Amino acid sequence: AEYMGVHISFHICVVMSWEQLDVLVEKVLGDPNLDQALHKSLQKCKSSFEATRKLLAMVSNRTARAAHTELVRRHVVNVMDLTNILEEYITETNGFPVYDDPLSCVDVLRYVLRMCLVMVQTHTVLIATAPDTSTTSPDASTTSSDTSESAALSSHTSTESHVPADHTLTTVFSIDVIESIFWKIGNLHYTICEDWNERGHLDTLPPDRIIPLLEDGISHLQRLNHVREASIHTEDSLLSNNAFTSTHLLAIAFEGELHLMYSRIIDRCAQQQPNIPDRTTEIQKGITNLRLFVSLVEGNVRLSGWSTERAKSLIQKYQ
């Protein structure tokens, strides 16, 4: 009963995220001013997304592991492709709306990407505990798999403490897939917050509207930079600081900026929310990240084309 409840709840959440994404995609496709190239790309991604989710709806967790894992991977890639195009459209039009109808594009994009991560986490738990059905009889596989799935999901229910550690996700999915999910979620939250900041909304929005976005952005950018183990036995400053790619390097800077944005919100909500982080601590975290970013960029010849002016300006402003 517990397994069925969790499985059904998870399935409902995923389907709801698909339906909300459908609504948003159709809304954008219906814009008469939509750029033709963007329309074509969005339509193509929409078709791939629909084809993959139909296949996912037809399989069970007892389907061959490799095949099912590949479907989940393709689904995640399709969702991220769709959200990339939608994000481009939003930023090129009026920016991210601060408030919208119940299907606010901000909340839909956050929800859909979160469901991608939950899908990967759940699939990893099931794969890690389910027997290889190719070597068992149909009757045995059904009983055994039901039992193992029930055990996996019962340990994966309601509390975050039972969610698989990030590094275990790479035992089923490639590092690139896991890092791309964390990057997409973190970068989306940074983009929204920075858009609101540039338009003067950051200092006027109710804290309970902006704080969840800041915290989610910081959390997922941090998780991106800890999927791989830092190379401690190297003289390469990039590798020893988890900056394995340009994406990791950007994540260090973006996280720093989000900490500084957070420090501005703290002044307005410290009395109403006693558990809010210390403002000085947030500023220090932000400056530390930005100083690391500047040091890594300026200390590596191969990054000579990168600019550190924005980071230096923020450090000077907040220190």
Side-chain angles (χ1 to χ4, degrees):
E2 183 178 27
Y3 161 70
M4 288 304 295
V6 174
H7 183 73
I8 292 171
S9 298
F10 170 69
H11 180 70
I12 290 173
C13 288
V14 171
V15 171
M16 283 175 62
S17 74
W18 291 346
E19 291 175 348
Q20 292 184 6
L21 186 58
D22 279 338
V23 172
L24 186 55
V25 169
E26 291 302 323
K27 182 178 179 181
V28 174
L29 287 174
D31 183 351
N33 299 316
L34 180 63
D35 177 78
Q36 287 301 310
L38 202 60
H39 187 286
K40 184 176 180 180
S41 297
L42 185 57
Q43 191 66 59
K44 181 179 179 180
C45 285
K46 178 176 180 285
S47 298
S48 297
F49 168 69
E50 290 175 343
T52 304
R53 79 179 186 186
K54 285 179 180 177
L55 289 173
L56 277 171
M58 294 166 58
V59 301
S60 71
N61 288 312
R62 287 183 289 277
T63 304
R65 297 182 187 185
H68 196 183
T69 299
E70 174 59 17
L71 274 179
V72 173
R73 185 198 68 79
R74 282 167 53 191
H75 172 75
V76 169
V77 171
N78 285 335
V79 170
M80 289 193 290
D81 286 344
L82 271 176
T83 56
N84 284 337
I85 296 174
L86 292 170
E87 187 177 328
E88 180 183 350
Y89 165 79
I90 293 166
T91 53
E92 288 183 356
T93 50
N94 299 319
F96 289 93
V98 176
Y99 294 107
D100 204 338
D101 53 54
L103 282 178
S104 163
C105 62
V106 169
D107 298 321
V108 170
L109 293 178
R110 292 179 67 212
Y111 182 50
V112 168
L113 290 173
R114 189 181 303 117
M115 283 301 101
C116 279
L117 178 55
V118 171
M119 176 178 283
V120 166
Q121 291 170 329
T122 303
H123 184 70
T124 298
V125 172
L126 293 172
I127 290 297
T129 57
D132 186 349
T133 58
S134 62
T135 61
T136 57
S137 66
D139 291 339
S141 67
T142 299
T143 304
S144 179
S145 184
D146 281 345
T147 303
S148 60
E149 288 176 14
S150 178
L153 281 172
S154 65
S155 67
H156 183 64
T157 55
S158 52
T159 62
E160 290 187 3
S161 61
H162 294 111
V163 173
D166 292 341
H167 70 273
T168 65
L169 301 178
T170 59
T171 62
V172 177
F173 297 90
S174 70
I175 288 176
D176 289 343
V177 169
I178 303 307
E179 289 184 340
S180 66
I181 295 174
F182 290 147
W183 166 248
K184 183 58 195 170
I185 297 175
N187 183 51
L188 173 69
H189 286 79
Y190 168 80
T191 302
I192 295 169
C193 293
E194 177 55 20
D195 177 61
W196 288 351
N197 182 36
E198 290 292 325
R199 291 158 57 200
H201 296 311
L202 196 65
D203 295 321
T204 59
L205 278 171
D208 60 358
R209 176 59 173 161
I210 185 68
I211 286 178
L213 277 75
L214 291 168
E215 291 181 341
D216 279 355
I218 290 170
S219 169
H220 287 89
L221 291 174
Q222 288 176 339
R223 293 169 75 178
L224 161 67
N225 281 342
H226 289 87
V227 173
R228 311 186 202 190
E229 291 292 333
S231 303
I232 57 176
H233 303 297
T234 178
E235 295 182 0
D236 190 319
S237 60
L238 291 173
L239 297 183
S240 62
N241 285 283
N242 296 86
F244 300 99
T245 67
S246 58
T247 298
H248 292 84
L249 194 56
L250 282 174
I252 293 172
F254 288 179
E255 182 195 335
E257 290 192 37
L258 288 173
H259 279 297
L260 296 181
M261 290 184 208
Y262 203 162
S263 71
R264 288 163 53 188
I265 304 299
I266 291 173
D267 287 339
R268 297 194 289 116
C269 63
Q271 294 181 348
Q272 294 87 352
Q273 301 184 34
N275 295 324
I276 206 74
D278 177 69
R279 179 177 182 274
T280 303
T281 301
E282 286 302 302
I283 291 177
Q284 190 56 51
K285 287 179 180 179
I287 291 177
T288 298
N289 267 57
L290 293 177
R291 281 178 175 164
L292 175 59
F293 172 77
V294 171
S295 173
L296 293 175
V297 170
E298 296 186 345
N300 289 271
V301 177
R302 58 184 182 274
L303 296 175
S304 58
W306 285 58
S307 173
T308 59
E309 292 307 309
R310 178 184 176 90
K312 288 180 176 178
S313 176
L314 287 169
I315 292 171
Q316 184 177 10
K317 178 180 179 180
Y318 283 90
Q319 68 181 359

